[in-house]
Each structure stands twice: as C-alpha cells, then as structure tokens.
Amino acid sequence: MLRGAALAGLVGLTLAWGLNWPLMKFSLRELSPLYFRAVTMSGGALLLLAWFSARGRDMRLPRSAWLPVVLLALPNVLGWHLFSILGVQELASGRAAILGFTMPIWTALLAVLFFGERLTARVVIGAACAAIAIALLVAQELVALAGRPLGIVWMQIAAASWALGTILMRRTPLALSTLALTVWMMLLSSIAFWLIAPFVEPWPSWQFSAPMWAALAWGVVVNYGIAQVVWFGLARALPPTASAFSIMAVPLVGTVSAIAIVGEVPRWQDWVAALFVILAIASALLRRPASS
C-alpha cells in the first residue's frame, strides 16, 4: 500500500509523463527523434547538475562507480528512451504509451525467471491485464491499413529494457545518491545520443515554432528534470513490481491528453485496453489482507 510521499510522487509523475507522450509526438513534427532525445536529455541533465551543485549536493562520480552507472544507464535510460521515441514516431502517442507501460509484464517475468522473486497472485493478475491490453492494440495495428507493426516491436523492446533497468536499480549497491546517479545516467546516455544521431539523421535547422520551443522546454525541465529524480527515487525505494505497476495510469493520461495536443481520436480498443490497465493498477495498489 503506497502512502505519503511515495503516493504524491506517483500522482505527479503520472500527470507529467502522461502529458509527455503527446508532447513527444508533437515535437517529432519539427525535430527528428534522436536529436530530440539528445537535446532534451542533455539539457535536463545539465540543468539538474547545475541546480543541485549550487545547493551543495555532492554530484561527483567516483572512479569506482563508473562501470555500475554505465551498466544501469544502458537499460534504464539509453535503451528505454531510444526505442520508445522510435515507437512514438511509428504509432499514435496514446497507443505507444499503453504499449510502453506494459513494462510491468517484463518486470514480473524477468524478476521471476532470472532474479528469484516469488510469483504472487497480484503480479499474475496485473501482468494478465496488461497482456490483454497489448493483445487488443497489437491486433488492431496488424489489421489496420495504416497500421505500423514495427512501432509495436520498438515499444516492447523499450519496455523490456526499462523493466531490466528497474530490477537492476534495486539490486545494484552503490554509495551514490539517487540525484547523482540520475544525473550521470542521463549525461552518459545523452552523449550516446549526440554521437549516434549524426549517422542516422540530418542535422536540424533549429528554426522551430513557438509551441515547439515550449515542448522542448517541457522535455528539459519536467520530463528530464523533475520527473526523472522522482522516478529513480521511487525505483530505488520500492520493490520492482510495485514501482512498475503503480505508474500504469500514465497511458490513460497520455491517451486523453493526446486528443487536445495532437488531435488523436482513440478507438474502442484503446479505451478497453485502458480499462485493463486500470485493473493492473488495482492489482498493485490494493492492500493485502492482514494475516490472521
């Protein structure tokens, strides 16, 4: 049962990340995906580094921590943010959000198969509900004339990568604050985006509309600023399946807000999938009965 600061953090995170999906889709109208990630992620990381350093926080990365931080950054930041932006490029933003937040299925499966976690009834129920949501959206994408099945593949790779990272966050002992860990994972991953982007995308013109600059500012300050600190703090404090399932409301916010931001009209499959996502949330948040 989530209470206090953890619950408040999850509510804020749900709203911020939900709005971020259609804002990403909007941004891809004027900026290619890898450069979009490079700009917003490096901007957010540098903003956090300056903010917390000015307040006396120790943001240094000890030499002994380099390898663990790199290994955590690969699935948590680089893998998730690379494949999810490719998925958003192919799919409607609300649909991409629902598919991306099937991450709990992968979290539960990886934790049980490779990390010795016990398979509980609530994990089975939550994973089954999320699996039904995936099946609905996958079936619709495959039969639609304008369907983009490749986007489904990208989003599932992204979800599996994030799931692995969530598990590793709890299992990697580091004498490093969550703030410093978050900033350094983002900095290292943003460098990777800047190095990869020129080989696969043309150099941007940097002549954007005012709404596009506002979307970039949101990406820097909110998505790669405040939200990342909140998420990684929760990921280090909560069990993997709890932190995973409890943010499943994000796709609901993304689906609804996409109507206003990018003009997407959800189909019945999206709403039914959203219903099963709500059931997955309930499986994570309901209080376990007290033992007699």
Side-chain angles (χ1 to χ4, degrees), residues 22 26 30 37 45 61 83 94 118 128 132 152 206 252 275-276:
F26 174 84
E30 299 186 42
R37 285 299 199 209
L61 182 62
F83 291 109
R118 187 167 59 92
I132 293 171
I152 298 169
W206 306 112
L252 305 180
L275 173 62
F276 280 100

Side-chain angles (χ1 to χ4, degrees), residues 1-3 5-15 17 101-105 107 122-123 126-127 130 162 166 230-231 233-235 237-253 277-286:
M1 189 71 173
L2 296 172
R3 296 191 186 93
L7 182 58
L10 285 172
V11 171
L13 196 64
T14 295
L15 295 174
W17 276 357
F101 278 79
T102 59
M103 178 268 276
I105 296 178
T107 303
R122 69 171 61 198
V123 169
W162 186 15
T166 299
V230 173
W231 165 250
L234 293 171
L238 299 176
T241 50
S243 58
F245 280 119
S246 56
I247 55 170
M248 287 285 286
V250 169
L252 305 180
V253 179
V277 165
I278 293 174
L279 295 177
I281 299 168
S283 73
L285 297 184
L286 287 178

